[in-house]
């Protein structure tokens, strides 16, 4: 039973392309306040990100302080030394002050910030500083669908092996920290198939009231926001090209999303140890990727990356103009006699 005298926060966690934005929008239909300074919709997420812009900026800065790429592409293990050397105190104070200012009057509020689980100890400090009763919703999706979804945005991160490592890196290191608080796992495909049912499942778990305004919100969410055309990638329930560790992780989490077992903590803790043992290889992957991305990317990958963040109303003329600008920005290699 939640403490009626403490402010509650429900935070949406999960790897990229797992439906965190869709689930965040569902929480809004449950009358959970997400604020009004949200990242605008773009081609990457044409129906909205539902991320507070200022909290997102703090999250980016915390990633960089810990030596991670702000876009979530890093897969390396965050060492204890990195945590100790990062000057995170000012960011904790800034985030706590912002939450008090923006959500201080709300009995319950929510947030979805890309990559939050990757640096969850930082956000746990923020929630402790503000005296929150925090709970988590963890979004998952078939890893093969995740990679296919990435393909339209970044061909390098869409490589199945790389996408699988990002999936594991977002969840495994701090899964145990998440489970110290009330939490529920939600499968994106189940949300697509039954949006009303999954939101009611969340509401029931967190003891959220289904008021008349919530009923209206759920009808709009299930009937207008979520529809069959919204899901562009779905695969069957086979492992396919997914790496074994990530497949085991996904299957364990899927049992939780189907309420089939009470806990998968021990199984996932063992996977965490396996992933931690890969730390030297993961660090090498990040270094090599950094060197590769330090070179000029192809025009195609630049175009995909740039257009994925354009406003949804961008015209064809705007897009063509952008493509021309990108082409002109490519370095010219001198020819030698």
């Amino acid at each position: 039973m939640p403490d009626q005298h403490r402010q509650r926060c429900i935070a949406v966690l999960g790897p990229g392309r797992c439906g965190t934005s869709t689930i965040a929008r569902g929480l809004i239909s449950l009358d959970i306040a997400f604020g009004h300074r949200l990242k605008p919709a773009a081609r990457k997420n044409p129906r909205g990100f539902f991320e507070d812009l200022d909290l997102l900026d703090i999250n980016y800065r915390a990633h960089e302080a810990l030596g991670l790429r702000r876009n979530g592409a890093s897969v390396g293990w965050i060492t204890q030394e990195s945590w100790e050397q990062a000057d995170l105190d000012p960011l904790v104070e800034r985030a706590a002050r912002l939450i008090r200012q923006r959500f201080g009057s709300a009995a319950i509020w929510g947030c979805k910030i890309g990559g939050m689980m990757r640096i969850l100890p930082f956000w746990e400090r923020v929630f402790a500083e503000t005296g929150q009763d925090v709970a988590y919703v963890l979004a998952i999706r078939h890893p093969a669908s995740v990679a296919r979804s990435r393909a339209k945005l970044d061909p390098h991160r869409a490589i199945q092996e790389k996408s699988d490592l990002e999936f594991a890196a977002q969840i495994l290191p701090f899964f145990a920290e998440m489970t110290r608080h009330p939490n529920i796992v939600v499968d994106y495909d189940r949300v697509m198939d039954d949006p009303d049912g999954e939101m009611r499942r969340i509401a029931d778990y967190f003891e959220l009231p289904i008021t008349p305004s919530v009923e209206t919100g759920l009808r709009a969410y299930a009937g207008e926001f979520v529809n069959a055309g919204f899901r562009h990638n779905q695969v069957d329930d086979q492992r396919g090209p997914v790496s074994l560790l990530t497949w085991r992780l996904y299957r364990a989490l899927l049992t939780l999303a189907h309420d089939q077992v009470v806990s998968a903590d021990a199984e996932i803790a063992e996977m965490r140890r396996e992933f931690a043992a890969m730390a030297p290889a993961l660090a090498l992957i990040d270094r090599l990727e950094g060197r590769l991305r330090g070179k000029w990317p192809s025009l195609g990958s630049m175009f995909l990356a740039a257009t994925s963040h354009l406003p949804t109303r961008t015209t064809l003329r705007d897009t063509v103009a952008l493509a021309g600008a990108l082409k002109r920005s490519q370095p010219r290699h001198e020819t030698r006699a």
Side-chain angles (χ1 to χ4, degrees), residues 233-298:
N233 298 283
Q234 184 180 16
V235 298
D236 58 29
D237 196 31
Q238 302 299 313
R239 175 184 164 191
V242 178
S243 63
L244 180 57
L245 178 65
T246 299
W247 179 249
R248 288 165 53 208
L249 174 59
Y250 167 69
R251 294 298 300 178
L253 293 170
L254 194 61
T255 62
L256 299 177
H258 285 257
D259 298 322
Q260 293 176 351
V261 296
V262 175
S263 172
D265 293 3
E267 185 179 1
I268 294 176
E270 175 57 33
M271 296 179 212
R272 181 187 185 276
R273 287 189 286 271
E274 294 177 28
F275 194 69
M278 297 166 56
L282 298 173
L284 177 61
I285 290 169
D286 278 350
R287 285 198 297 271
L288 292 176
E289 184 175 9
R291 291 179 184 178
L292 289 172
R293 289 183 178 273
K295 299 180 183 296
W296 278 89
S298 67

Side-chain angles (χ1 to χ4, degrees), residues 56-99:
L56 182 62
D57 178 68
I58 292 170
N59 190 62
Y60 284 153
R61 294 175 187 275
H63 270 69
E64 291 169 351
L66 290 164
L68 303 175
R69 293 187 186 87
R70 57 192 286 166
N71 67 351
S74 301
V75 298
W77 193 266
I78 307 176
T79 65
Q80 185 60 37
E81 183 181 15
S82 295
W83 284 109
E84 293 171 355
Q85 291 181 352
D87 185 15
L88 297 175
D89 290 351
L91 291 175
V92 170
E93 294 172 6
R94 178 180 162 193
R97 183 168 58 252
L98 179 66
I99 288 170

Side-chain angles (χ1 to χ4, degrees), residues 172-220:
L172 284 175
F174 302 115
F175 180 81
E177 282 76 2
M178 183 196 77
T179 60
R180 292 171 189 158
H181 303 272
N183 67 89
I184 188 169
V185 180
V186 180
D187 175 44
Y188 175 70
D189 286 318
R190 292 194 77 185
V191 173
M192 290 294 98
D193 292 335
D194 184 14
D196 181 84
E198 282 299 290
M199 289 307 114
R200 290 179 187 273
R201 174 174 167 259
I202 292 172
D204 180 64
Y205 181 82
F206 291 129
E207 300 181 9
L208 303 174
I210 303 296
T211 64
S213 66
V214 168
E215 290 283 5
T216 300
L218 286 174
R219 283 195 297 271

Side-chain angles (χ1 to χ4, degrees), residues 73-204:
S74 301
V75 298
W77 193 266
I78 307 176
T79 65
Q80 185 60 37
E81 183 181 15
S82 295
W83 284 109
E84 293 171 355
Q85 291 181 352
D87 185 15
L88 297 175
D89 290 351
L91 291 175
V92 170
E93 294 172 6
R94 178 180 162 193
R97 183 168 58 252
L98 179 66
I99 288 170
R100 293 189 188 102
Q101 292 172 348
R102 191 154 295 167
F103 301 104
S105 62
I108 181 168
W109 66 283
C111 62
K112 171 256 173 176
I113 306 170
M116 175 182 272
M117 192 169 185
R118 185 75 164 97
I119 57 169
L120 193 58
F122 167 79
W123 287 104
E124 292 266 276
R125 286 184 58 191
V126 173
F127 295 139
E129 180 71 19
T130 54
Q132 303 289 324
D133 269 347
V134 65
Y136 295 114
V137 178
L138 175 60
I140 63 167
R141 187 182 187 184
H142 194 300
S145 294
V146 173
R148 291 184 185 181
S149 181
R150 291 190 193 281
K152 299 178 181 179
L153 306 172
D154 188 333
H156 299 292
R157 294 176 68 187
I159 297 169
Q160 188 68 56
E161 293 83 356
K162 177 61 168 60
S163 181
D164 288 347
L165 286 175
E166 289 189 30
F167 188 101
Q170 286 287 340
I171 296 175
L172 284 175
F174 302 115
F175 180 81
E177 282 76 2
M178 183 196 77
T179 60
R180 292 171 189 158
H181 303 272
N183 67 89
I184 188 169
V185 180
V186 180
D187 175 44
Y188 175 70
D189 286 318
R190 292 194 77 185
V191 173
M192 290 294 98
D193 292 335
D194 184 14
D196 181 84
E198 282 299 290
M199 289 307 114
R200 290 179 187 273
R201 174 174 167 259
I202 292 172
D204 180 64

